[in-house]
Amino acid sequence: MTTVVVVKKGDQIAIAADSQSTFGDTRLGAGDDACWNKIFAAHDGYFSIAGSAAHDLVLQAALKKVKNLDFSDRPAIFESFRKLHPKLKDDFFLKVDEEDDDPYESSQMTVLMANPHGIFAVYSLREVYEYQRFWGIGSGRDYAIGAMNAVYDNPDLSAADIARIGIEAGCAFDVSSSMPMTSYTLEKHKK
């Protein structure tokens, strides 16, 4: 349970996340969590995960173990997560079972990433999406996406401003998200 957003506007790319972890009916806020930042840097960009908190350290470790990963576009990201999947199973004991009618084994995580090439999400069956303006994941995503949609065209707002507004909306209405937030910005590669 979380709210994580990415925004691309002009030459700026931003990623932001709330700070709350939830374990059933128990919430762990930033005031009690020594490691509440849900965003980590890797491969010249930033990653964040929605789903089990266990995925955070696992994905960070797996990204260091597997060589020749590329996160520059949809096909490259797909191939990188395809390479990661056996490592997640063999080295980190990922349980791949979800629904009996799923066409592929699940990686059990949703990943949002921002890098100089754009803003992307990878879903549990390794579906890769690239977004033009913004997106969100986690239990507060609907509130965040709605808020970002309402303000995106305001010329006075940067990608970081819009990401902040998305996280604030997620935290205002989703019981599994709370402030403070973490946010990072980077410049988009010019083509």
Side-chain angles (χ1 to χ4, degrees):
M1 305 294 132
T2 192
T3 303
V4 183
V5 302
V6 289
V7 179
K8 180 172 69 171
K9 188 172 182 183
D11 291 335
Q12 189 182 67
I13 293 174
I15 186 170
D18 81 303
S19 55
Q20 179 178 310
S21 292
T22 307
F23 308 94
D25 291 334
T26 304
R27 59 180 245 167
L28 176 63
D32 294 310
D33 187 349
C35 299
W36 55 267
N37 184 352
K38 296 180 180 180
I39 302 169
F40 63 90
H43 297 273
D44 299 320
Y46 295 99
F47 293 73
S48 191
I49 300 163
S52 172
H55 295 316
D56 181 54
L57 290 175
V58 166
L59 185 59
Q60 288 186 57
L63 287 170
K64 290 176 185 172
K65 277 188 137 189
V66 178
K67 303 298 181 210
N68 301 319
L69 298 177
D70 180 358
F71 298 97
S72 60
D73 59 24
R74 286 183 68 230
I77 293 168
F78 169 78
E79 186 60 24
S80 293
F81 272 84
R82 190 193 62 74
K83 288 179 185 177
L84 284 167
H85 188 72
K87 287 287 184 196
L88 294 171
K89 286 174 32 178
D90 298 341
D91 294 359
F92 300 99
F93 313 107
L94 173 71
K95 293 176 75 174
V96 297
D97 300 331
E98 272 194 17
E99 304 297 325
D100 288 337
D101 61 346
D102 281 345
Y104 302 100
E105 290 181 345
S106 173
S107 293
Q108 302 282 355
M109 65 180 81
T110 301
V111 181
L112 207 54
M113 65 183 78
N115 64 44
H117 304 283
I119 55 177
F120 305 90
V122 180
Y123 291 88
S124 63
L125 300 180
R126 288 160 304 287
E127 311 100 308
V128 180
Y129 290 88
E130 180 176 7
Y131 303 101
Q132 290 294 332
R133 302 182 308 148
F134 54 83
W135 198 248
I137 61 172
S139 55
R141 75 184 167 275
D142 292 343
Y143 306 111
I145 290 170
M148 293 186 298
N149 187 64
V151 300
Y152 186 85
D153 291 328
N154 182 330
D156 296 330
L157 296 177
S158 67
D161 294 330
I162 296 163
R164 175 186 47 77
I165 289 166
I167 295 299
E168 288 173 347
C171 292
F173 297 103
D174 176 46
V175 298
S176 297
S177 301
S178 64
M179 298 295 269
M181 64 174 257
T182 306
S183 179
Y184 298 95
T185 59
L186 49 95
E187 295 296 313
K188 184 178 182 316
H189 280 321
K190 296 184 193 275
K191 293 183 178 182

